Amino acid sequence: MAKPFSELRARLSPESQARVESQTRAMLADMPLDALRRAQGCSHQRLAEQLHIQPSEIATIEKRTDLYLSALRSQIEAMGGQLEVIVRFPEGEVKVSHFANSTLSPFTRA
């Protein structure tokens, strides 16, 4: 019979537990949009309903390598998140606040 993961993890040494936790944080810090949606437990159908688009369009958006920030923001907010644009320079990080929230969905057809 399979054991719960929590029991298996409890058997690991503290060093191994720390390493697993660090790797998990690293994986969650950098993930594609489709993986982020799945990690949030959000289906194509639910997200499409919130964005008022067809579910097939979600997959198309997730495959794109070039996306409007407004479209990305709408999708992230529909998953319950908040989009921030952070620029990293050798001197430090800067949060770009130029992009104001729009009341219009970028998915709305004119």
Side-chain angles (χ1 to χ4, degrees):
M1 174 172 233
K3 295 188 183 227
F5 182 71
S6 58
E7 284 182 28
L8 297 172
R9 186 175 50 192
R11 292 184 190 175
L12 295 174
S13 69
E15 295 82 17
S16 293
Q17 289 181 21
R19 188 175 65 251
V20 168
E21 180 66 28
S22 175
Q23 290 172 343
T24 300
R25 276 195 305 273
M27 286 173 51
L28 291 175
D30 184 18
M31 61 177 30
L33 195 53
D34 62 330
L36 177 60
R37 177 187 47 76
R38 287 191 308 271
Q40 291 297 314
C42 189
S43 68
H44 281 153
Q45 182 66 36
R46 190 186 118 216
L47 194 55
E49 286 171 3
Q50 289 184 328
L51 295 172
H52 306 291
I53 61 176
Q54 295 298 314
S56 61
E57 290 181 74
I58 299 297
T60 301
I61 292 166
E62 291 175 346
K63 291 176 186 171
R64 294 196 58 177
T65 57
D66 188 13
L67 191 62
Y68 283 113
L69 284 176
S70 57
L72 179 59
R73 179 188 298 111
S74 293
Q75 189 160 353
I76 296 298
E77 289 176 353
M79 287 187 270
Q82 181 181 357
L83 179 66
E84 293 182 352
V85 177
I86 306 292
V87 180
R88 291 187 179 87
F89 294 104
E91 301 82 20
E93 295 182 351
V94 177
K95 178 180 173 185
V96 179
S97 59
H98 174 74
F99 308 105
N101 282 338
S102 172
T103 58
L104 295 176
S105 169
F107 303 107
T108 303
R109 297 197 188 349

